[in-house]
């Protein structure tokens, strides 16, 4: 019978040790920002379905489409933050701009929206702006300075 027991040894003798350490450092370099990806995705999901939750699909059809598109965009941004954080966290400032747009959108896109619709978009916009600022700040802290 063959000996299949694993011996513990030092990985320093592995031929690809430098490449593995470099990749490990690169993967863990920006992972402290992933704590924000979940809330960003949930915010996008809520933004997309909020017209049906708050029942303003018949009174504000333009705002329904707007919130659906913005929610999908926020969700895709969150997925991009998760998939390629080193490339996507530069878009954190765009996420802040999306938050500001969500705050003013009921008056621009909507047709005399009621208080519930306005408050809903203001809450979504403020959360998006705050999460965008947190993403930008965390990404700036996690990047290495030369």
């Amino acid at each position: 019978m063959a000996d299949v027991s694993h011996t513990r040894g030092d990985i320093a003798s592995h031929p690809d040790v430098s490449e593995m350490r470099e990749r490990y450092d690169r993967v863990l370099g920006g992972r402290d920002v992933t704590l924000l990806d979940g809330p960003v995705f949930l915010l996008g999901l809520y933004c997309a379905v909020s017209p049906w939750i708050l029942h303003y699909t018949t009174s504000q059809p333009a705002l329904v489409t707007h919130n659906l598109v913005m929610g999908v965009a926020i969700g895709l941004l969150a997925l991009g933050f998760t998939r390629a954080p080193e490339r996507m966290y530069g878009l954190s400032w765009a996420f802040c701009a999306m938050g500001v747009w969500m705050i003013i959108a009921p008056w621009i896109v909507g047709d005399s929206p009621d208080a519930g619709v306005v408050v809903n978009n203001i809450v979504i916009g403020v959360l998006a702006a705050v999460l965008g600022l947190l993403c930008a700040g965390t990404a700036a802290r996690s990047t290495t300075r030369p």
Side-chain angles (χ1 to χ4, degrees), residues 36 39-40 42-44 46 74 95-96 98-100 102-103 119-135:
L36 298 171
V40 171
L42 290 175
L43 181 68
Y46 174 74
I74 291 171
F95 187 40
C96 293
M98 290 170 71
V100 171
M102 286 298 294
I103 292 171
V119 169
N120 178 58
N121 273 32
I122 288 174
V123 168
I124 291 172
V126 167
L127 286 173
V130 167
L131 287 172
L133 287 173
L134 288 172
C135 287

Side-chain angles (χ1 to χ4, degrees), residues 25-45:
D25 290 339
R26 188 176 63 238
V27 166
L28 289 183
R31 297 321 299 174
D32 53 346
V33 290
T34 56
L35 293 176
L36 298 171
D37 297 347
V40 171
F41 182 76
L42 290 175
L43 181 68
L45 182 64

Side-chain angles (χ1 to χ4, degrees), residues 2-138:
D3 182 22
V4 292
S5 62
H6 296 284
T7 59
R8 292 185 179 230
D10 190 16
I11 196 166
S13 63
H14 194 280
D16 296 329
V17 70
S18 61
E19 181 182 337
M20 289 188 303
R21 284 187 179 147
E22 192 176 296
R23 183 173 185 209
Y24 182 75
D25 290 339
R26 188 176 63 238
V27 166
L28 289 183
R31 297 321 299 174
D32 53 346
V33 290
T34 56
L35 293 176
L36 298 171
D37 297 347
V40 171
F41 182 76
L42 290 175
L43 181 68
L45 182 64
Y46 174 74
C47 181
V49 299
S50 65
W52 290 275
I53 292 173
L54 297 177
H55 304 290
Y56 62 89
T57 54
T58 56
S59 64
Q60 299 289 330
L63 207 53
V64 169
T65 305
H66 171 269
N67 279 14
L68 179 64
V69 169
M70 289 297 288
V72 169
I74 291 171
L76 289 175
L77 196 60
L79 291 176
F81 288 165
T82 303
R83 181 72 179 130
E86 64 278 351
R87 289 185 289 179
M88 291 294 291
Y89 274 106
L91 292 175
S92 298
W93 296 108
F95 187 40
C96 293
M98 290 170 71
V100 171
W101 171 251
M102 286 298 294
I103 292 171
I104 62 173
W107 294 284
I108 296 173
V109 177
D111 182 32
S112 62
D114 62 349
V117 174
V118 171
V119 169
N120 178 58
N121 273 32
I122 288 174
V123 168
I124 291 172
V126 167
L127 286 173
V130 167
L131 287 172
L133 287 173
L134 288 172
C135 287
T138 307

